[in-house]
Amino acid sequence: MNKFKAIVSETYMNQVKSKSFIALLLMPLIFIIIGAGAGYISYSNASSSAEQDQVAIVGDSSIKKSLVKLDGDSIDSSVKTEKQAQNKIKSDDIYGYVKMSKNNNKIKAQYIGNDYLDSDVKHDLMQTLSLKQNELNISNGGLTKDQIQKLSNKPLFESHIEKQKSENSENNDNGIKMASLQTLIFVLYFFLIMYSSVTASTIAKDKGSKIIEVIFSSTTATKYFLGKIVGIILTLITQLIAYLIMIFAGYKFLSTASFSKDIVNESSDTIHQMIGNFININLAFIVLGLIVGIILSAAAGALVARKEDASKSAQPVVMITLLLFLLSIMFQNNSNSIIPQILSYFPLSSCFFMPIRMINNQANIFEGIISLIILIAFIIGLTYFISKVYKGLMLQNSNEGWFKNLIKGVKYR
Amino acid sequence: MICILHISKLDKYFDNLHALSNVNFDAQNGRILGLIGQNGAGKSTTFHSILNFIKYSGEITWNGKHIDEKAFDEIGYLPEERSLMEKATVQQQIIYFAKLKNRKANWTKPRIKGWMKKFDVKGELNSKLKSLSKGNQQKIQLICTLIHEPKLIILDEPFSGLDPVNADLLKQSILEAKDNGATIIFSSHNMNNVEEICDDLVMLRNGEVVLNGSVQDVRNQFGKNELYVTTPMSKDELQQLPGVLSVKIRDNNKYMLDLSNPDAGVELFKLISKGKYIEEFSQQPPSLDEIFREKVGETNE
Ligand SMILES: Nc1ncnc2c1ncn2[C@@H]1O[C@H](COP(=O)(O)OP(=O)(O)OP(=O)(O)O)[C@@H](O)[C@H]1O
Ligand SMILES: [Mg+2]
């Protein structure tokens, strides 16, 4: 036990005191400062930047002209065609447009937009249209029954709301989902890459420098292997706790600072829902995923022959991580197809895909637990297997690429 | 108490290479055993077998028991390839390795200074290992090997890289450990070192034991065929004498004569001294160096 503790604390202290670790700890602080800065700048600009509150009128320039006289501010008079109007909606310059047309001497106004038409504009529009329709009716001649009926023709107003910008619950849910997925994939990817190289290189250094011979003349390979892993996991936990404290403190600060509190409070629901997406079984997947990454990297580190190759030693794990990263980006919006379904049970990829499917509400808690059990069993089996062959992996010295080294190492003893 | 490292019928194959074949020898406490042999003879492989680094056939026991993690606490091992932790200080390094031998930090700490003095290490407790010279780093590693007071000391080429003065310091420590009752076994290419401090000797050739016994026995086995003399006679004159195979000049008037048989010495003493005082006339068995060369030579024939 003493020896195990010695290995754990040596590994931990070495990591925590390293410059790169301290730099990493400061990173979110820098993010928060940049974020706050950006928030502050956009806040001070907010008053001057005009909100998109204009509509366009297309299809009849005389109606447009009379409307511009009435509601000049609310109408973007530069728009002439429907195409232009559609483009301007896309670029958020206007929130909608009214398309005028004539059919059977009837004036028709069709409104297409992201938001309801401003009621003042609508009122003025209707008045102008009535006038125009009247003119039209009169110019159409005699006052037969037919004509009276024509006189009673009212302009038609149709409203099509395509996409609403305001707080609509379903849309907001989607936003939270997307943000959660992106956070999940990014966090897993980032930490996996970082910790696989940290783990692999510390072990590769021990191996390449032959310090391992002194260690293996003192303790068992299993204790060394587990000690290294625990040391690295403690480093990871330290970093996560530091990040959480910083994020929490940053959140508290931003939600009270005058320039940002409105934005933060407005989105506090979103933030809470996002956190809710992680403080559940998904957290177990993230943590266990990182642990699998660390275990595999500890094996990968044992597969290089020279100290100089330590920095490349994590390559096999980095490649797997990259592949999973790309797959999850590919399937994040299509996570119920057969491939992600399979991947969400397969031990390694499940750390990415089960949470993705859970966030997308495509897997229930039981499926999650089954996948988690598979993952835990895999971790236990993997740890057992690697600790059995670890002595051979660490002591064999051939340098024929990681796969051949693995085979040789397994057969070594 | 007698502590014995017992090796019997040790056999090891690396794929098709028969690295060790039927190696048998014992190492005893209070004695120093030198393991000699050419490059690739199997010295390091023998050590790796003792430490369970590799699987082998045969039997290796320490005090009658297999060598396991518990036995490791009593072992001090200096690997062939030297190196220390990259970022550690002298003190951190020594304490860490001692912890792995079940010595607590506060047991080790007060002893470090004394060891550094003993080995004349140029450096401080908190010097970075990287900042030390290569020889001083090697001394730190020797301290790591010895500080936990091991009962079985295994040193793979401990003298390589040390200058003669420091080699002497190491010899002193090895002899000290011997006096304290440790069992010491080390490999070396330098026969002088072996001759000076070893009690016993095992020579390997292509994985086989070709010599095994106390240093004296081994040398005597080869007969006292070497004659060291100091005489004003010339090399040519000496060459003519009966029973002399060859003559080597050691220094002014100092020669080493190779005799055809040990008995030739009696007649030669008369011929060289001519009944007068003679400064040096010493008939000796061959040095280990010569035995080594001879034994190695046998393979090449
Ligand atoms: N892990 C290994 N795999 C394959 N062959 C090995 C391995 N270790 C040693 N050998 C071979 O076994 C033989 C004995 O090697 P060993 O290292 O024991 O020699 P040595 O006596 O220590 O030599 P040196 O004086 O050069 O250190 C050599 O031929 C070597 O190539
Ligand atoms: Mg060797």
Side-chain angles (χ1 to χ4, degrees):
Chain A
M1 207 55 203
N2 290 333
K3 299 181 183 185
F4 178 72
K5 261 193 273 173
I7 294 167
V8 171
S9 76
E10 196 273 331
T11 309
Y12 177 74
M13 290 314 288
N14 232 333
Q15 293 305 328
V16 171
K17 281 194 298 187
S18 73
K19 286 194 193 83
S20 55
F21 182 80
I22 293 165
L24 274 174
L25 276 194
L26 296 178
M27 217 170 58
L29 213 60
I30 293 165
F31 276 146
I32 288 170
I33 290 167
I34 291 173
Y40 182 73
I41 290 164
S42 71
Y43 168 77
S44 49
N45 284 345
S47 42
S48 61
S49 84
E51 288 245 324
Q52 43 126 328
D53 56 0
Q54 288 189 316
V55 288
I57 313 282
V58 295
D60 191 318
S61 54
S62 65
I63 291 175
K64 181 169 128 188
K65 246 183 224 155
S66 32
L67 261 178
V68 168
K69 266 183 214 150
L70 295 167
D71 294 293
D73 283 349
S74 308
I75 289 160
D76 186 339
S77 54
S78 67
V79 179
K80 301 215 161 53
T81 64
E82 190 177 1
K83 241 220 147 71
Q84 278 177 345
Q86 281 165 347
N87 286 338
K88 285 221 166 186
I89 288 181
K90 268 189 204 136
S91 59
D92 270 354
D93 289 332
I94 55 175
Y95 64 86
Y97 65 93
V98 183
K99 185 178 152 193
M100 316 298 307
S101 55
K102 257 184 239 167
N103 196 357
N104 279 341
N105 290 327
K106 214 170 170 180
I107 298 176
K108 186 176 169 191
Q110 211 176 353
Y111 170 75
I112 295 120
N114 291 334
D115 207 342
Y116 292 102
L117 183 59
D118 183 89
S119 57
D120 288 345
V121 176
K122 187 175 169 186
H123 181 251
D124 292 340
L125 175 70
M126 291 308 282
Q127 269 191 343
T128 315
L129 289 183
S130 303
L131 233 81
K132 287 277 169 190
Q133 182 76 53
N134 265 341
E135 278 171 25
L136 202 68
N137 293 348
I138 289 159
S139 72
N140 271 346
L143 290 168
T144 57
K145 255 190 184 173
D146 210 25
Q147 286 169 334
I148 292 165
Q149 209 191 327
K150 273 177 187 153
L151 271 174
S152 68
N153 267 353
K154 287 261 155 57
L156 215 67
F157 182 85
E158 271 178 34
S159 186
H160 300 273
I161 307 301
E162 289 183 334
K163 168 178 105 184
Q164 199 155 26
K165 278 272 168 109
S166 74
E167 301 227 337
N168 171 301
S169 68
E170 198 184 315
N171 276 318
N172 201 34
D173 270 0
N174 270 331
I176 292 167
K177 249 183 215 170
M178 281 304 286
S180 306
L181 288 178
Q182 303 287 345
T183 311
L184 167 85
I185 294 170
F186 178 74
V187 164
L188 254 177
Y189 173 74
F190 176 76
F191 278 94
L192 268 175
I193 295 281
M194 186 165 60
Y195 275 88
S196 55
S197 57
V198 163
T199 312
S201 79
T202 144
I203 284 171
K205 275 181 202 155
D206 279 355
K207 178 183 180 182
S209 68
K210 301 285 169 200
I211 284 177
I212 199 63
E213 288 199 12
V214 178
I215 295 172
F216 283 179
S217 72
S218 310
T219 187
T220 61
T222 306
K223 266 188 199 166
Y224 172 78
F225 171 63
L226 295 179
K228 280 280 163 185
I229 287 176
V230 171
I232 300 282
I233 290 174
L234 288 181
T235 313
L236 171 68
I237 290 171
T238 307
Q239 187 177 5
L240 288 178
I241 288 176
Y243 278 12
L244 286 179
I245 291 172
M246 277 186 244
I247 289 169
F248 184 73
Y251 178 68
K252 275 274 167 236
F253 170 71
L254 290 179
S255 61
T256 47
S258 62
F259 64 85
S260 56
K261 69 174 176 226
D262 291 344
I263 301 169
V264 173
N265 292 338
E266 252 174 46
S267 50
S268 73
D269 265 3
T270 310
I271 292 169
H272 289 156
Q273 284 188 49
M274 268 185 70
I275 292 172
N277 271 337
F278 291 110
I279 307 295
N280 54 25
I281 191 168
N282 289 344
L283 189 67
F285 277 105
I286 295 175
V287 170
L288 291 177
L290 292 173
I291 289 177
V292 177
I294 289 172
I295 293 172
L296 286 177
S297 312
L303 295 177
V304 295
R306 296 177 310 141
K307 198 164 60 172
E308 293 71 31
D309 296 334
S311 55
K312 301 186 288 189
S313 55
Q315 246 171 20
V317 183
V318 169
M319 264 159 18
I320 295 172
T321 309
L322 202 63
L323 182 72
L324 289 176
F325 175 70
L326 293 175
L327 282 174
S328 24
I329 295 286
M330 258 170 68
F331 286 113
Q332 58 175 328
N333 294 322
N334 184 22
S335 57
N336 220 17
S337 64
I338 186 75
I339 296 173
Q341 280 208 24
I342 294 171
L343 289 176
S344 67
Y345 288 98
F346 195 76
L348 272 174
S349 50
S350 61
C351 313
F352 279 93
F353 284 96
M354 193 43 96
I356 289 176
R357 295 187 58 224
M358 303 271 281
I359 290 172
N360 283 337
N361 294 325
Q362 289 156 341
N364 61 33
I365 188 77
F366 293 109
E367 294 172 281
I369 288 173
I370 289 170
S371 170
L372 204 61
I373 289 172
I374 295 174
L375 182 60
I376 291 171
F378 176 75
I379 290 177
I380 293 171
L382 184 71
T383 309
Y384 180 78
F385 171 72
I386 294 178
S387 66
K388 282 288 151 211
V389 298
Y390 211 60
K391 201 171 203 170
L393 294 185
M394 287 300 276
L395 289 170
Q396 72 87 22
N397 272 318
S398 57
N399 192 7
E400 302 169 47
W402 66 268
F403 190 72
K404 276 196 172 169
N405 289 355
L406 175 68
I407 303 293
K408 280 209 160 177
V410 170
K411 287 191 195 155
Y412 188 75
R413 289 194 79 252
Chain B
M1 192 181 109
I2 296 175
C3 300
I4 290 177
L5 175 72
H6 176 69
I7 297 177
S8 78
K9 295 188 188 142
L10 174 60
D11 226 86
K12 175 69 193 174
Y13 278 93
F14 288 114
D15 295 327
N16 293 323
L17 179 84
H18 204 173
L20 293 173
S21 59
N22 194 25
V23 170
N24 299 284
F25 67 87
D26 285 359
Q28 236 196 59
N29 66 323
R31 289 180 79 85
I32 302 172
L33 183 142
L35 188 61
I36 60 177
Q38 271 185 297
N39 295 123
K43 304 181 293 294
S44 300
T45 305
T46 305
F47 293 154
H48 292 171
S49 307
I50 295 171
L51 295 164
N52 256 320
F53 286 1
I54 49 178
K55 275 219 172 81
Y56 54 84
S57 64
E59 195 181 47
I60 299 177
T61 56
W62 167 243
N63 289 336
K65 279 180 277 188
H66 280 283
I67 293 173
D68 55 8
E69 199 193 1
K70 208 149 186 266
F72 281 161
D73 291 352
E74 300 190 337
I75 296 179
Y77 168 60
L78 178 75
E80 186 167 31
E81 271 178 72
R82 307 297 145 70
S83 97
L84 297 160
M85 283 165 5
E86 256 178 20
K87 293 176 191 157
T89 65
V90 169
Q91 174 163 297
Q92 285 167 345
Q93 174 70 82
I94 295 176
I95 286 179
Y96 176 50
F97 279 173
K99 271 187 187 167
L100 293 180
K101 297 290 187 185
N102 256 332
R103 294 292 192 187
K104 292 209 162 62
N106 50 16
W107 183 94
T108 312
K109 225 180 208 166
R111 288 170 166 79
I112 299 175
K113 272 265 174 199
W115 278 96
M116 285 175 73
K117 213 176 223 160
K118 195 186 272 184
F119 277 116
D120 191 29
V121 177
K122 306 265 185 307
E124 299 298 319
L125 283 180
N126 51 7
S127 307
K128 289 262 176 224
L129 290 167
K130 263 190 297 191
S131 71
L132 300 186
S133 77
K134 198 164 170 252
N136 281 310
Q137 289 184 25
Q138 198 171 335
K139 290 186 211 172
I140 297 296
Q141 191 155 12
L142 280 165
I143 295 174
C144 292
T145 310
L146 300 173
I147 196 166
H148 60 284
E149 297 173 354
K151 297 214 170 65
L152 173 60
I153 300 171
I154 298 172
L155 311 169
D156 204 345
E157 318 265 357
F159 294 103
S160 77
L162 291 181
D163 64 39
V165 176
N166 286 306
D168 281 342
L169 290 175
L170 174 58
K171 280 176 211 162
Q172 286 314 309
S173 323
I174 291 177
L175 290 170
E176 238 171 72
K178 168 187 162 172
D179 287 342
N180 292 333
T183 306
I184 297 139
I185 160 169
F186 74 88
S187 69
S188 183
H189 297 294
N190 185 331
M191 296 307 133
N192 291 333
N193 292 329
V194 175
E195 200 146 13
E196 264 178 73
I197 59 171
C198 283
D199 302 293
D200 301 308
L201 168 79
V202 170
M203 180 169 169
L204 290 175
R205 193 180 58 206
N206 297 335
E208 287 174 60
V209 176
V210 289
L211 287 173
N212 181 4
S214 75
V215 174
Q216 267 321 305
D217 288 350
V218 168
R219 285 182 65 185
N220 289 336
Q221 210 176 302
F222 282 78
K224 297 187 175 180
N225 279 346
E226 288 183 357
L227 179 59
Y228 292 80
V229 291
T230 304
T231 165
M233 292 169 78
S234 74
K235 186 182 173 186
D236 283 345
E237 282 173 306
L238 290 171
Q239 196 96 58
Q240 305 304 320
L241 298 174
V244 176
L245 292 179
S246 66
V247 178
K248 268 187 226 150
I249 303 173
R250 290 185 292 147
D251 206 343
N252 248 356
N253 293 342
K254 289 179 192 274
Y255 303 94
M256 203 269 297
L257 281 58
D258 209 1
L259 308 184
S260 55
N261 69 79
D263 302 335
V266 183
E267 193 62 22
L268 283 172
F269 183 70
K270 289 179 198 152
L271 293 170
I272 294 172
S273 70
K274 295 170 185 135
K276 295 202 198 102
Y277 167 75
I278 180 164
E279 202 178 309
E280 182 192 20
F281 187 99
S282 152
Q283 196 175 343
Q284 289 178 6
S287 68
L288 286 183
D289 218 23
E290 284 152 328
I291 294 175
F292 184 76
R293 280 175 219 281
E294 191 185 321
K295 277 287 168 191
V296 166
E298 283 174 16
T299 32
N300 300 336
E301 277 156 19

